[in-house]
Amino acid sequence: MKFSISREDLLRPLTLVAGVVERRQTLPVLSNVLIQVDQEQLALTGTDLEVELIGRTVASRVEEPGSATLPARKLMDICKSLPDQSEIQFSLEEGRAVLRCGRSRFTLSTLPVAEFPNIEDTQGSVEISLPRGTLKHLIDTTAFAMAQQDVRYYLNGMLLELQTNLVRAVATDGHRLAVCSRPAEIEVETAQKLIVPRKGILELVRLLDEGDEVVTLTLGASHVRAHTGDFTFTSKLVDGKFPDYERVVPRGGDKVFIADRAGLRQVLSRTAILSNEKYRGVRLHLDEGNLRVMANNPEQEEAEETIAVEYSGDALEIGFNVGYLIDVLNALNEDRIQMTLSDPNSSALMEEPGGGDTLYVVMPMRL
């Protein structure tokens, strides 16, 4: 293997691929990136056995095609530290990779290519195409609600639902729920439901932008594969049954108020400073035209703020984890937010006024 490539052409795919690679691995080869070179094309592959990412770029000159596995982090750190617009020469010499750039020379250890795992190439039964911006919006508005290390392993990921002309993302950690639905020009014979693990979602969204360029999803029995531009991303799916989220969405709440989103977020953030650090609880007292937000902590410190809201109805006091409310306010893009409540023991429904493509449910806290 012998080729040259510009630093910039190598760095973008390498940075994304190295993000998949885990630092602490049971298999040493999993901390490496697989480099494969043919005519002009250079492919970089990283995997942790759960997700795999292949990035493609073009070499400026290929003298000898071939393949090798190199330590991902070290290779990325070397590339980042080299001067802009520099040309890097790669060669394999006596089982080691040698990088030359100007007066610099680096020799890196390699591991056998045969040891590098390949996520099985199952034939996908369903293939659909979506604009990148649609999929990015679905993930951006819901990903914060995914569980992190829940024993209910199916919550440590995101449910993607694909129906004819509709795509939906759902995430929940048992305390809050985020649902986003978008129309899409897709056709599927039977509705598809797949749970993509948390890491898969976080890596996939790094490949997406707001544009209308297409991302193609291939759905297999145990994998989902996404092709976008020069990248092919594969993730195992979580084998489990996602909870029936429709049942969790509160219906028929009679206390509906509308507030300025940025103003409410600032009030909650300030009040949260004096909430109990462990439980992060705040009390909301709603009455006509006003919302009072209160917090206190074991040191007997208290915070109280009032914000004007559009509301005429009975008074209500209810407690929430303030972090959950702020997460929702950060995820919504509208200037105003609508919140629907019924009583102190029922979940709150948060959405843009009049409803929109996204809705959020937050469970109350007893304070």
Side-chain angles (χ1 to χ4, degrees):
M1 182 175 86
K2 195 172 184 183
F3 67 94
S4 348
I5 186 168
S6 78
R7 170 185 177 270
E8 282 63 30
D9 286 343
L10 178 63
L11 200 51
R12 180 172 185 264
L14 178 60
T15 306
L16 287 163
V17 168
V20 172
V21 176
E22 294 284 352
R23 287 173 189 271
R24 296 179 298 281
Q25 284 292 1
T26 45
L27 286 172
V29 76
L30 290 181
S31 57
N32 280 17
V33 58
L34 171 65
I35 296 182
Q36 296 165 298
V37 192
D38 52 23
Q39 280 83 26
E40 283 182 353
Q41 181 126 337
L42 177 75
L44 302 159
T45 308
T47 182
D48 67 351
L49 297 181
E50 188 176 82
V51 299
E52 175 189 86
L53 180 59
I54 304 171
R56 295 176 192 83
T57 184
V58 176
S60 25
R61 194 170 84 249
V62 177
E63 292 179 39
E64 213 177 296
S67 54
T69 79
L70 279 67
R73 298 276 163 195
K74 290 174 187 167
L75 179 59
M76 185 173 72
D77 290 345
I78 289 168
C79 290
K80 280 182 174 172
S81 66
L82 290 170
D84 291 352
Q85 309 301 328
S86 52
E87 189 81 4
I88 307 170
Q89 279 108 32
F90 278 79
S91 57
L92 274 186
E93 297 171 18
E94 296 168 11
R96 287 144 69 108
V98 180
L99 280 68
R100 294 182 176 86
C101 177
R103 296 182 176 184
S104 310
R105 180 173 174 275
F106 304 90
T107 307
L108 288 170
S109 63
T110 64
L111 286 168
V113 172
E115 288 181 15
F116 197 85
N118 182 15
I119 289 188
E120 58 260 35
D121 203 359
T122 49
Q123 285 303 310
S125 51
V126 179
E127 191 170 285
I128 58 157
S129 297
L130 293 169
R132 283 187 204 173
T134 298
L135 189 55
K136 180 173 167 59
H137 176 77
L138 289 169
I139 295 175
D140 284 347
T141 51
T142 55
F144 69 87
M146 290 188 290
Q148 298 217 23
Q149 289 175 321
D150 202 294
V151 291
R152 297 164 294 180
Y153 58 93
Y154 47 82
L155 297 186
N156 302 320
M158 181 180 289
L159 175 70
L160 289 181
E161 266 191 30
L162 305 160
Q163 303 169 17
T164 299
N165 297 330
L166 183 79
V167 58
R168 178 180 291 135
V170 187
T172 179
D173 61 4
H175 301 287
R176 66 252 182 101
L177 168 77
V179 182
C180 182
S181 311
R182 273 277 173 103
E185 291 179 14
I186 57 174
E187 279 194 31
V188 286
E189 283 183 23
T190 52
Q192 302 284 324
K193 291 188 177 187
L194 42 146
I195 306 174
V196 184
R198 179 186 177 82
K199 180 171 180 182
I201 289 292
L202 298 180
E203 292 300 332
L204 175 59
V205 78
R206 292 170 63 201
L207 304 177
L208 303 172
D209 53 32
E210 304 290 353
D212 290 329
E213 285 183 52
V214 166
V215 52
T216 305
L217 297 179
T218 309
L219 316 181
S222 59
H223 292 81
V224 60
R225 182 161 287 159
H227 295 276
T228 175
D230 294 326
F231 292 91
T232 302
F233 168 84
T234 309
S235 172
K236 283 189 174 178
L237 297 176
V238 177
D239 183 17
K241 191 171 185 327
F242 204 80
D244 180 4
Y245 59 89
E246 298 275 6
R247 283 184 32 219
V248 180
V249 178
R251 306 284 180 206
D254 56 343
K255 298 172 180 63
V256 183
F257 73 86
I258 293 175
D260 175 65
R261 182 179 69 96
L264 181 57
R265 186 177 61 196
Q266 288 166 4
V267 163
L268 290 169
S269 300
R270 287 194 294 265
T271 314
I273 297 167
L274 296 185
S275 66
N276 183 318
E277 285 181 15
K278 187 175 177 189
Y279 300 110
R280 310 273 330 271
V282 295
R283 286 198 311 284
L284 306 187
H285 183 86
L286 179 66
D287 56 25
E288 197 153 330
N290 281 311
L291 177 70
R292 197 159 84 246
V293 183
M294 297 160 283
N296 56 18
N297 60 29
E299 289 82 52
Q300 310 294 307
E301 296 164 332
E302 294 179 356
E304 183 176 313
E305 285 211 36
T306 303
I307 181 172
V309 294
E310 293 175 29
Y311 177 70
S312 55
D314 297 339
L316 170 74
E317 189 165 291
I318 184 168
F320 288 104
N321 177 319
V322 68
Y324 294 167
L325 298 180
I326 291 172
D327 282 345
V328 171
L329 296 173
N330 286 335
L332 274 169
N333 285 328
E334 297 299 310
D335 292 338
R336 304 194 308 155
I337 175 140
Q338 175 177 302
M339 198 161 170
T340 306
L341 303 162
S342 50
D343 60 64
N345 301 316
S346 300
S347 297
L349 178 64
M350 299 172 74
E351 57 196 335
E352 58 187 75
D357 59 14
T358 317
L359 64 85
Y360 301 95
V361 179
V362 182
M363 284 177 69
M365 274 179 88
R366 284 204 176 85
L367 292 173

